[in-house]
Structure formats: structure tokens, C-alpha cells
Amino acid sequence: MKLMIINGPNLNLLGKREKAIYGKKSFDDFFVELQFKYRDIELTHFQSNVEGEIINKIQEVGYSFDGIILNAAAYTHTSLAIGDAVKAISTPVVEVHISNTFSREDFRHVSYIAPNAKGVIAGFGLQSYELAIQSFM
Ligand code: DQA
């Protein structure tokens, strides 16, 4: 099984950024743990701060991979174009968030991805990614 984790803007700063919300671990360290724990799954990770690059990656893997785990970060709440890309592809997408976006500011309650996602997992810290992996198993 081939799963792609796509992380959006500022998630390259995990471990340094607003630690009280997003935790102390870098995504790279967490990803090594994930690959070890789920070694029967072909797990790939892509991060970009650029909206178009995220769309290019969704299109690139969206007809061949078994699943996409997408944390589009702030683009979740603004990007019609990422929402359209998720709608366009055949690979199922699980939207994830580290924080519980619904317990935060109102603008974080909106998602342009959720209407076309297989499901949404939010609020479990980095474990949100793990729950998303398990949803494909
Ligand atoms: C986030 C939540 C978003 O609202 C925020 O802009 C992020 C991270 C999360 O994983 O909790 O950058 O997607």
C-alpha cells in the first residue's frame, strides 16, 4: 500500500513553532518513527509552503497512490484550488490537523478540503497522522 503525507505551510517548523499547540517534535523525527512502525506500508512525505506545489503533488500522486493524508495547514481554510484538486483526483484523501481546529478561532472552522475528503481527523497531536494511516488499513 502506498500512502503519501502532504504537509502545508509552516509545518516544516514543527518542534520550533507554537510548541504548546503543535508539540516539541519535528515532523522529520516523527516520520522516521512512523516509517518504522508501519514498515509494511510505503509511506512518503512531502512538505511545501507553496500552494501550487501542494496542488502539483496532489495531482502527481492522486491517480496512483492508495491514499493521501493531507494537512494543508492554513490553506485548509482558504484554498479553493486545493479543494478542487482533492475533488479532481481518484485517490482518497484524509484531512488531518494536529490541533482541534474547531476549538480554535472561527476562521479555522472552515475547510475547503473536508467536503471532498474521505474523513477528517483533528486534535490528537501528531497521533492524528497515525489515526489517518490506520484508517487506510
Ligand atoms: C493545522 C491547523 C491550521 O489551522 C493551522 O493554520 C496550521 C496547522 C493543524 O495541524 O493543527 O498551520 O493544520
Side-chain angles (χ1 to χ4, degrees):
M1 181 163 62
K2 280 166 86 162
L3 298 182
M4 163 70 72
I5 297 175
I6 300 177
N7 275 331
N10 301 307
L11 292 171
N12 55 315
L13 298 180
L14 285 183
K16 291 183 197 152
R17 166 197 189 202
E18 297 179 272
K19 291 181 196 169
I21 299 174
Y22 299 115
K24 292 181 191 152
K25 200 177 278 185
S26 74
F27 196 84
D28 286 345
D29 286 350
F30 175 64
F31 189 64
V32 170
E33 291 171 19
L34 276 184
Q35 282 182 307
F36 182 73
K37 192 159 174 186
Y38 297 95
R39 43 191 178 280
D40 294 340
I41 297 174
E42 220 179 294
L43 265 182
T44 324
H45 168 231
F46 173 79
Q47 190 277 331
S48 177
N49 296 320
V50 180
E51 187 176 16
E53 288 180 0
I54 294 167
I55 294 165
N56 286 344
K57 186 54 76 177
I58 290 170
Q59 292 184 4
E60 184 189 315
V61 302
Y63 296 92
S64 54
F65 276 51
D66 300 298
I68 296 174
I69 295 164
L70 175 61
N71 186 349
Y75 285 141
T76 306
H77 320 301
T78 62
S79 180
L80 189 58
I82 294 178
D84 275 355
V86 168
K87 193 172 185 180
I89 59 171
S90 53
T91 296
V93 173
V94 172
E95 174 181 340
V96 303
H97 298 285
I98 296 165
S99 62
N100 178 359
T101 48
F102 295 98
S103 67
R104 300 179 67 192
E105 303 94 324
D106 285 354
F107 65 86
R108 294 186 207 275
H109 301 179
V110 174
S111 170
Y112 283 91
I113 293 154
N116 296 300
K118 188 179 172 205
V120 181
I121 301 169
F124 296 95
L126 289 173
Q127 202 197 343
S128 294
Y129 292 92
E130 215 175 325
L131 294 170
I133 291 171
Q134 288 167 8
S135 78
F136 286 109
M137 293 169 73

